[in-house]
Amino acid sequence: MTAPSAQYTHGHHESVLRSHSWRTAQNSCAYLLSSLAPDMHILDVGCGPGTITADLARLVPQGHVTGIEHGAPDVLQQARAAAVAQGVTNITYALGDVLALDFPDAAFDVVHAHQVLQHVADPVRALREMARVAKPGGIVAVRDTDFAAMTWHPDDAGISLWRETHRQVARANGGEPDAGRRLLSWALEAGLAREQITASASTWCYSTPEEVAWWSSTWSQRVLSSEFASGALQHGFVTQEALDGMSQGWKAWGSQPDAWFAVLHGEILCKV
């Protein structure tokens, strides 16, 4: 059976990778960390520039972590170089597709995906594949953002338009931007047992002047230069003038002394 496809909404512009490289195991998969043991073998799906992946490898020094990314060899090369620079040796990077994982059944103690299922055309199939390659008694761990639940202050019309446009583009690309609230439902549809699933939520919150400046800077660039921008224009959702307004909105928000932004994530921890 041919796997359904979806286009990655963000792409791999420098501003996107700069944002993704901020992520660590501590700020992006804290819900999983207490379940790890030093000798585990972990699959990190959608590893991107590999900052979470390398952190996980450090937490399983007698084990091994495999990071896979779909269709982005340059990003994987960046991840490999970072691992070498950091002296992390128990790690392997490869191209891979969560809808058709190129691993045997029961290959990993933990199968992890951070902000991946929102970009997948068939998240239920993805979860079935993740469960297939997890060992009996192993863990499938997924965390995904929920764009509709993002909240910020002060209000800004440019940021509000960005969020609604992002949701339009993501769905036109075949994904689901409000994935966080749906993870439990998708896991049940994938056949995972309810009594073996822990569902939770956590946030990123940008509130200090340094955090606000960084967050607003990355997004003011992303709305103009990433695949989101070209997708929004190609689908006819907005004009270039509107994109410029979104960028200015991010800059204006970031200049406010009371600027605050919260990103809600849904999480599921599933025993297989």
Side-chain angles (χ1 to χ4, degrees):
M1 181 187 301
T2 302
S5 61
Q7 181 177 340
Y8 182 45
T9 297
H10 299 301
H12 298 96
H13 185 265
E14 182 277 331
S15 59
V16 176
L17 294 179
R18 183 172 6 119
S19 175
H20 290 181
S21 295
W22 166 83
R23 300 171 182 177
T24 66
Q26 288 69 33
N27 67 31
S28 297
C29 55
Y31 71 105
L32 168 64
L33 301 187
S34 64
S35 300
L36 299 183
D39 60 349
M40 282 183 164
H41 284 68
I42 300 173
L43 176 64
D44 188 24
V45 176
C47 62
T51 50
I52 297 174
T53 322
D55 272 354
L56 290 173
R58 281 186 278 263
L59 294 171
V60 292
Q62 287 84 53
H64 192 87
V65 179
T66 301
I68 63 170
E69 182 64 35
H70 184 58
D74 291 346
V75 176
L76 285 179
Q77 190 55 40
Q78 177 179 327
R80 291 188 189 100
V84 170
Q86 296 167 30
V88 181
T89 58
N90 59 329
I91 195 166
T92 302
Y93 288 108
L95 291 172
D97 183 355
V98 69
L99 294 174
L101 292 171
D102 190 21
F103 301 102
D105 295 355
F108 299 95
D109 299 289
V110 175
V111 185
H112 167 262
H114 182 267
Q115 290 203 11
V116 172
L117 295 192
Q118 64 179 287
H119 303 292
V120 175
D122 190 344
V124 173
R125 178 171 173 172
L127 283 164
R128 290 189 183 121
E129 272 292 273
M130 293 174 71
R132 177 185 66 79
V133 301
K135 296 177 182 179
I139 293 170
V140 171
V142 178
R143 185 178 191 251
D144 241 296
T145 194
D146 196 296
F147 273 78
M150 291 182 181
T151 188
W152 58 88
H153 181 82
D155 196 17
D156 185 276
I159 298 179
S160 295
L161 179 60
W162 157 78
R163 178 172 63 179
E164 291 314 304
T165 305
H166 188 284
R167 294 172 76 216
Q168 288 179 296
V169 174
R171 288 183 174 134
N173 286 341
E176 175 46 66
D178 302 338
R181 69 189 66 192
R182 292 173 166 83
L183 295 182
L184 176 57
S185 179
W186 288 340
L188 294 175
E189 190 176 346
L192 294 163
R194 181 63 185 90
E195 63 272 16
Q196 297 297 322
I197 303 172
T198 300
S200 58
S202 61
T203 61
W204 291 334
C205 185
Y206 305 99
S207 60
T208 69
E210 295 77 16
E211 292 167 346
V212 166
W214 176 79
W215 188 239
S216 63
S217 173
T218 58
W219 274 110
S220 67
Q221 291 182 274
R222 288 173 69 169
V223 299
L224 296 177
S225 304
S226 72
E227 290 297 319
F228 158 77
S230 57
L233 293 172
Q234 289 168 9
H235 290 299
F237 295 138
V238 293
T239 64
Q240 182 62 52
E241 182 180 6
L243 291 175
D244 292 341
M246 294 178 203
S247 181
Q248 289 303 315
W250 276 106
K251 291 177 181 177
W253 171 83
S255 69
Q256 301 303 311
D258 57 345
W260 176 93
F261 200 107
V263 180
L264 179 70
H265 291 83
E267 303 160 342
I268 51 170
L269 201 64
C270 314
K271 291 188 178 180
V272 177

